[in-house]
Amino acid sequence: MPSTGTPVVMPDLEQDQAVRSKDALDPGYLVICWNDPVNLMTYVTHVFQMVFGWPRPKAEQHMLQVHRQGKSVLIRETLERAEFYVHQLHKYNLHATVERDKG
Amino acid sequence: MKLVRTDGTLCVFRLGQRERDLFTQVLRRHPLVPAGYHRFTRAGATADDPANQALLDEAMAGHRAEHQEQVEGLLNDPSRLASDERGCRLTLSREDMEWLLQVLNDVRVGSWLKAGRPDPDGKTTPKITAANAMFFALIEAAGHFEAALLDAL
């Protein structure tokens, strides 16, 4: 009776192909922050500085746009990056969404 | 909540007795923002919106759990929250201050939702009742501590 040998696992020689949809690479997604009367203006400015690494004047400009116009387009990115940013904004409990740029 | 010392890495705050109790009560209220509150998109961004929403909900649940652990860690760590007869000394790193801001704002936004979304600039303000009065107070209390942290950053 032949002995049972240890199975040999051969490495997968086929090259993995990263399958990324066209959508994932399309920089046509907007991260929008919507006005929320509860968030402090200084807090929103701080969050924009932390999440996007913006200097204070740019962060304040977007914060004021949110406050006065009800929303601000913060950045136009690929879907993957837009998702990342919106998750970061949600961690701070800002009201933010990803929208398709139809412009 | 007064900043008494900072070396650029650590900030030391002094809280009086009542302020310490209020700070603890505010933190113990976390999490207040309900699961599913944050939406991935409004108008629809991709064909995978439901999957993206599920991913977001999962990520937020993870953040809430992590923050709860951090809150417990802070409240039970005498090296960071040292109580004495006058109140307490709160020693925070920049990293601590960042997650603490997120926790405090969860309490502020969650209280705002439970209070009926009052808008100071809006035409309608929810009536303050015995049932929601506590949430109006929590909005202010959380905002007070947020402002102190933001001033120090």
Side-chain angles (χ1 to χ4, degrees):
Chain A
M1 193 170 176
S3 62
T4 306
T6 307
V8 177
V9 180
M10 298 298 289
D12 178 6
L13 298 177
E14 286 183 26
Q15 188 177 358
D16 288 337
Q17 291 187 338
V19 179
R20 306 192 71 185
S21 71
K22 189 181 167 187
D23 271 358
L25 301 171
D26 177 9
Y29 293 89
L30 307 176
V31 175
I32 298 178
C33 188
W34 304 86
N35 190 36
D36 239 346
V38 67
N39 286 308
L40 300 173
M41 293 166 90
T42 48
Y43 178 78
V44 176
T45 301
H46 172 77
V47 174
F48 289 169
Q49 286 182 272
M50 290 303 294
V51 171
F52 298 104
W54 290 343
R56 191 177 183 88
K58 182 174 180 178
E60 279 178 338
Q61 186 186 338
H62 280 277
M63 177 276 293
L64 287 171
Q65 197 174 24
V66 172
H67 182 65
R68 290 171 182 158
Q69 298 174 26
K71 68 174 184 178
S72 178
V73 175
L74 303 180
I75 204 160
R76 188 178 192 275
E77 264 295 353
T78 61
L79 179 59
E80 196 176 344
R81 296 294 296 168
E83 281 173 348
F84 168 78
Y85 285 126
V86 93
H87 281 212
Q88 294 301 307
L89 294 167
H90 286 162
K91 277 171 75 174
Y92 285 90
N93 277 300
L94 294 197
H95 188 182
T97 59
V98 175
E99 307 297 340
R100 193 84 167 93
D101 186 5
K102 292 167 183 166
Chain B
M1 185 171 177
K2 288 183 180 172
L3 178 67
V4 292
R5 192 171 71 244
T6 179
D7 61 4
T9 307
L10 293 176
C11 289
V12 181
F13 298 90
R14 162 61 61 181
L15 287 79
Q17 282 181 357
R18 286 183 183 175
E19 209 175 22
R20 175 195 59 196
D21 295 344
L22 184 60
F23 180 69
T24 305
Q25 285 174 33
V26 168
L27 293 187
R28 292 254 183 244
R29 285 280 166 183
H30 172 273
L32 267 187
V33 171
Y37 168 68
H38 290 292
R39 308 309 300 168
F40 173 72
T41 184
R42 274 191 176 188
T46 73
D48 290 332
D49 285 345
N52 287 324
Q53 183 63 44
L55 196 65
L56 173 63
D57 292 342
E58 190 182 333
M60 293 307 293
H63 293 314
R64 276 194 294 276
E66 185 184 352
H67 283 157
Q68 278 181 294
E69 282 182 20
Q70 286 168 314
V71 166
E72 283 306 312
L74 176 66
L75 295 179
N76 295 299
D77 181 359
S79 71
R80 287 188 291 169
L81 187 67
S83 290
D84 54 35
E85 70 282 355
R86 290 185 298 138
C88 75
R89 192 184 69 243
L90 180 63
T91 305
L92 299 172
S93 66
R94 296 250 160 194
E95 191 185 337
D96 286 335
M97 290 165 78
E98 214 53 53
W99 68 254
L100 204 45
L101 274 174
Q102 294 175 7
V103 166
L104 289 167
N105 209 49
D106 173 280
V107 175
R108 186 169 161 87
V109 172
S111 299
W112 174 73
L113 293 171
K114 287 182 182 292
R117 303 179 185 231
D119 182 357
D121 301 325
K123 290 177 183 169
T124 56
T125 301
K127 192 177 174 185
I128 299 178
T129 65
N132 69 13
M134 179 186 65
F135 296 110
F136 281 89
L138 278 171
I139 292 171
E140 297 305 321
H144 164 74
F145 294 119
E146 278 183 37
L149 292 177
L150 288 165
D151 278 348
L153 281 166

